[in-house]
Amino acid sequence: MDDLESIKAYLPEAVRACRTHSEQGEVAAYIPELSKVPSDALGICILDRYDQYVLEGDVELPFTLQSISKVFTLILALMDHGEDAVFSKVGKEPTGDDFNSMLKLELVEPGIPFNPMINAGAIAISSLIAGSSPQEKSERVLTFFRQITRNHTIDINHDVYRSEAASAHRNRSLSYFLKDNGVLTGDVEEVLDVYFRHCSIQVTCMDVARMALLLACDGTDPATGQQLIPRRYVQIAKTFMITCGMYNASGEFAIGVGLPAKSGVSGGILTLVPGRLGIGVVGPALNNKGNSVAGVQLLETLSTRFEWSMF
Ligand code: DON
């Protein structure tokens, strides 16, 4: 059992020291609404399977899931359609390109996105969410997030949603490209609407830690023993987190921190210690790879100190 008491004793100084690293990063501004947060914020929640947790730093700061949501829309699409259908639309390989790149869609046959963690792949996944209308699909996604966070109050941040919808020129071009390649079927704007909405779901570190703990427990809710997500799909999701969850810094993160993780441009990071801990971090200042500078530093510090490992 993890000694949360020793983590708790260690955290205040670790957060204080790592917060200073925020100066080396910048808050994302390509979605204008995201820039309205304190750049030196840093918060963390660590939750164990006995429902004990520690909180430190700016844990009340709400933030939107952004790319963290991609892990769970992938899971939902897998639950809706199974592996064969999902992997006919997205690949399983890291790209080495930026998260919003369209380069390889044209260069590499068969013109499907390389993986579901990059924007093109996640948009293709959004098109697979079952439902008879974009509203129904978005409702299903939100209901799923409320279930896995055990928080029925979480909702979409409509300012962030509108801000992204109004400024998503790159995602629109990716999506029309995917439509032309036959990856997206149906109305492109409707697919994008589902995508923008799941990126705009607002959470705190505690919600993210709870989602992470569910993955750490292979899809079984540790409180009830209920299998909320099939184990196979959790394994697929965690494998993508290792290979491409931190974008082009996934290898560096795997070596420096050694845990499956997923970041978002709002500065959130979801990570987990297999079988033991769910962890949610927020630190809005990002490095040039799009990951929270202070957040990555904090996780590296903690992982080294407490000898966390995915192996
Ligand atoms: O589509 C976008 O650009 C955002 N909604 C999500 C991107 C993101 O979080 C990339 N993460 N580092």
Side-chain angles (χ1 to χ4, degrees), residues 2 4 45-54 150 205-214 216 222 273 276-280:
D2 283 278
L4 279 188
C45 174
I46 304 177
L47 176 68
D48 76 9
R49 51 187 307 140
Y50 309 100
D51 218 29
Q52 293 177 300
Y53 56 88
V54 290
R150 276 206 257 144
C205 291
M206 174 65 114
D207 298 315
V208 173
R210 201 164 288 287
M211 287 154 56
L213 183 65
L214 187 58
V273 183
R276 289 158 53 188
L277 300 172
I279 302 173

Side-chain angles (χ1 to χ4, degrees), residues 39 50 74 83 96 128 148 171 221 224-225 231 248-249 271 273:
S39 62
Y50 309 100
L74 167 67
E83 286 179 55
L128 294 175
I148 61 179
N171 281 337
D221 182 336
T224 62
R231 183 184 159 89
N248 290 336
T271 188
V273 183

Side-chain angles (χ1 to χ4, degrees), residues 48 56 87 93 128 164 192 228:
D48 76 9
E56 187 60 46
F87 293 118
E93 305 302 333
L128 294 175
E164 177 163 11
L192 279 168
L228 295 179

Side-chain angles (χ1 to χ4, degrees), residues 30-31 34 64-70 99-100 117-119 123 160 164 168 170-171 174 195-196 198-200 245-247 262-268 286 289-292:
Y30 75 98
I31 299 172
L34 290 184
T64 50
L65 283 170
Q66 298 302 333
S67 287
I68 295 172
S69 61
K70 295 171 180 175
F99 65 82
N100 56 5
M117 300 293 115
I118 53 171
N119 285 6
I123 292 166
V160 173
E164 177 163 11
R170 171 66 74 126
N171 281 337
L174 283 174
Y195 173 80
F196 298 148
H198 71 66
C199 287
S200 304
M246 303 298 279
Y247 298 105
K262 183 75 201 84
S263 64
V265 282
S266 53
L286 307 179
K289 303 280 173 61
N291 299 320
S292 169

Side-chain angles (χ1 to χ4, degrees), residues 88-149:
S88 70
K89 300 283 184 188
V90 291
K92 299 172 182 163
E93 305 302 333
T95 62
D97 303 323
D98 289 345
F99 65 82
N100 56 5
S101 173
M102 56 199 307
L103 195 66
K104 292 205 167 74
L105 287 179
E106 186 164 32
L107 282 181
V108 183
E109 287 296 324
I112 62 170
F114 262 49
N115 67 69
M117 300 293 115
I118 53 171
N119 285 6
I123 292 166
I125 292 294
S126 295
S127 78
L128 294 175
I129 303 295
S132 59
S133 64
Q135 291 78 7
E136 192 181 312
K137 292 175 191 188
S138 291
E139 274 303 316
R140 282 193 68 230
V141 173
L142 187 57
T143 301
F144 186 54
F145 277 104
R146 286 177 174 163
Q147 183 188 22
I148 61 179
T149 54

